[in-house]
Amino acid sequence: MTAHVLAGALADDGRRRIFAAIVLGATSATEVATRTRLPARVVLTGVRRLTDAGLVTGADGTLAADEASLRAATRDSRPAADAEPGVDPVLRTFLRAGVLVSLPAQRGRRRVLLAHIAEQSFEPGTRYPERAVDDALKPWCAAGGSDHATLRRYLIDEQLLTREHGIYQRL
C-alpha cells in the first residue's frame, strides 16, 4: 500500500469513522454500524473499500486494522535520508521523476521551479525556434500539472527566456 492509496481510502468521512471504530475494537460490521450510527449498506461498502486498500483484515469474519500494512506504508513513503541531498524542497514538492505535478501558486516558488526547468531544458545563448521550445517543455507536462504553452509564457514573464520574432533564447 502506498501513502496515496492510504489517503484515498481515508478520504471519505464515513470510511474514517468505520476505520476508527475498527481500531477502537469493533470486530464485525454490526458492531461498526452500532458504534458509528451509519447504515449497514454504508458500513459494508466502507469495510470492503478499506479491506481492498489493505487497511483492514477480515479473516474469519473478524475485522481488525492491518497494523503491519500501515507501518509498511509509512516506512515506504518516508524519503530516504540520502535521497537527492541538497534538492530544493520546492522541486521535491512540484516535480516527480522529472515531471511537473503542478505549478506553485506563489510567485517565488514558481520562479524556483521555472529556473530549474529552464536550466535543464535550454543552453544559455542558444537560439531555439518555438517548436523546439515546445518540444523541450512537453515532457515536463506529461503528468498534466500544466501545459507547455503555460510554461513557455511563465518562462518569458519571469525573463528566464527571451522571445524575439519567434526565436527563444535562455539568458
Side-chain angles (χ1 to χ4, degrees):
M1 166 183 17
T2 64
H4 182 71
V5 170
L6 174 66
L10 295 174
D12 177 68
D13 181 55
R15 287 193 301 269
R16 282 192 305 274
R17 290 170 57 191
I18 292 165
F19 185 66
I22 293 169
V23 168
L24 293 173
T27 59
S28 69
T30 306
E31 284 182 52
V32 171
T34 302
R35 290 181 184 199
T36 61
R37 297 186 179 128
L38 291 171
R41 176 183 54 81
V42 172
V43 170
L44 291 173
T45 302
V47 167
R48 182 177 41 79
R49 294 276 312 267
L50 292 170
T51 302
D52 291 347
L55 288 169
V56 171
T57 60
D60 302 326
T62 303
L63 299 173
D66 189 346
E67 293 175 20
S69 184
L70 282 169
R71 276 193 293 278
T74 303
R75 185 175 44 251
D76 294 344
S77 67
R78 204 177 305 149
D82 60 348
E84 301 182 69
V87 173
D88 190 293
V90 172
L91 300 179
R92 279 196 307 263
T93 302
F94 294 99
L95 293 176
R96 295 286 181 272
V99 177
L100 184 64
V101 291
S102 67
L103 278 173
Q106 286 184 328
R107 183 174 181 257
R109 289 181 179 188
R110 189 172 51 239
R111 182 159 173 78
V112 168
L113 181 66
L114 291 168
H116 174 77
I117 290 172
E119 289 170 10
Q120 297 297 310
S121 302
F122 306 104
E123 292 295 321
T126 303
R127 299 167 55 88
Y128 298 92
E130 187 167 310
R131 170 170 261 147
V133 172
D134 290 347
D135 289 343
L137 295 177
K138 283 180 183 177
W140 292 100
C141 304
S146 186
D147 62 275
H148 68 280
T150 300
L151 279 181
R152 187 180 66 224
R153 185 181 69 243
Y154 276 132
L155 288 167
I156 298 296
D157 290 348
E158 292 294 333
Q159 299 178 349
L160 296 166
L161 288 182
T162 61
R163 175 180 56 205
E164 189 175 324
H165 305 295
I167 301 296
Y168 295 78
Q169 185 175 1
R170 180 175 150 221
L171 302 174

